[in-house]
Amino acid sequence: AFLDQEAPELFASYDKLWEVEDPEETPYKSKYAARELLEAAVARLERLTQEAPAGDEDIERGREMLARLRLYLGKNYYFCEEVADAERLFNRSLEGYLRSPLRLVPEFFVYIQDAFNQLGMLWCNRQGHSQGMNYLRRAQVMYERRPACVRRGAE
């Protein structure tokens, strides 16, 4: 129910909050509200995936959704200038995706590239150009060497 019904509604609500332009006095008010939505969803989904019976086919989908939520959370924290937390979330997202058997699904493959790109920009902006370029190169190599199933899915 969460993955098929609630998650799309969650992302729609998040997007609406993300688009709000906050006043200068409270520059991140809507972003913090959006973050709360994602953090609640992460907590709920972590619980659901832990409680799911072994062999449940939705476990991997749930883990993928956790990785995606962490990627979105990382972007939120980065936008709100909380770089260390953003980095932690980007790394957790990337780890979740790289461990997933769903990583070659075209939609999810793109999120892995996004995580590498986010980490690359984060490191470049904190003057860690060597490490930043390493992440950006990985995203570029993924793009150039993407499997045929990903190539077809993106066309």
Side-chain angles (χ1 to χ4, degrees):
F2 180 86
L3 294 174
D4 296 320
Q5 295 171 352
E6 294 177 44
E9 293 170 9
L10 168 80
F11 284 112
S13 298
Y14 179 84
D15 288 343
K16 284 181 186 170
L17 285 167
W18 190 258
E19 292 170 4
V20 172
E21 289 195 33
D22 295 309
E24 285 185 35
E25 305 81 47
T26 55
Y28 303 127
K29 183 178 180 180
S30 64
K31 307 317 180 251
Y32 291 147
R35 179 187 300 177
E36 288 176 12
L37 291 176
L38 295 182
E39 288 175 336
V42 165
R44 180 155 182 240
L45 197 51
E46 283 177 335
R47 190 183 77 252
L48 289 173
T49 55
Q50 290 170 356
E51 294 171 355
D56 186 334
E57 60 190 44
D58 282 339
I59 289 177
E60 286 306 325
R61 287 181 58 220
R63 289 180 181 149
E64 182 282 323
M65 181 60 70
L66 277 170
R68 189 181 328 175
L69 289 168
R70 288 180 178 126
L71 179 62
Y72 276 70
L73 267 172
K75 291 178 183 182
N76 180 294
Y77 274 88
Y78 189 75
F79 183 84
C80 296
E81 302 178 28
E82 298 172 54
V83 178
D85 289 325
E87 179 186 11
R88 179 183 52 80
L89 286 159
F90 290 146
N91 281 318
R92 286 201 64 198
S93 173
L94 187 59
E95 178 185 357
Y97 274 118
L98 294 177
R99 291 175 180 252
S100 174
L102 302 174
R103 67 185 171 273
L104 294 182
V105 173
E107 178 185 3
F108 307 146
F109 190 87
V110 172
Y111 289 126
I112 297 169
Q113 281 183 282
D114 190 11
F116 278 128
N117 280 323
Q118 295 297 327
L119 283 162
M121 290 183 288
L122 181 148
W123 276 98
C124 286
N125 285 330
R126 61 162 58 144
Q127 307 306 314
H129 295 104
S130 176
Q131 189 156 0
M133 291 307 294
N134 187 28
Y135 283 115
L136 293 171
R137 275 191 216 100
R138 288 179 189 180
Q140 179 183 12
V141 167
M142 282 184 71
Y143 177 78
E144 291 169 351
R145 296 184 184 169
R146 65 197 183 278
C149 65
V150 172
R151 212 168 275 196
R152 282 191 305 272
E155 294 172 350

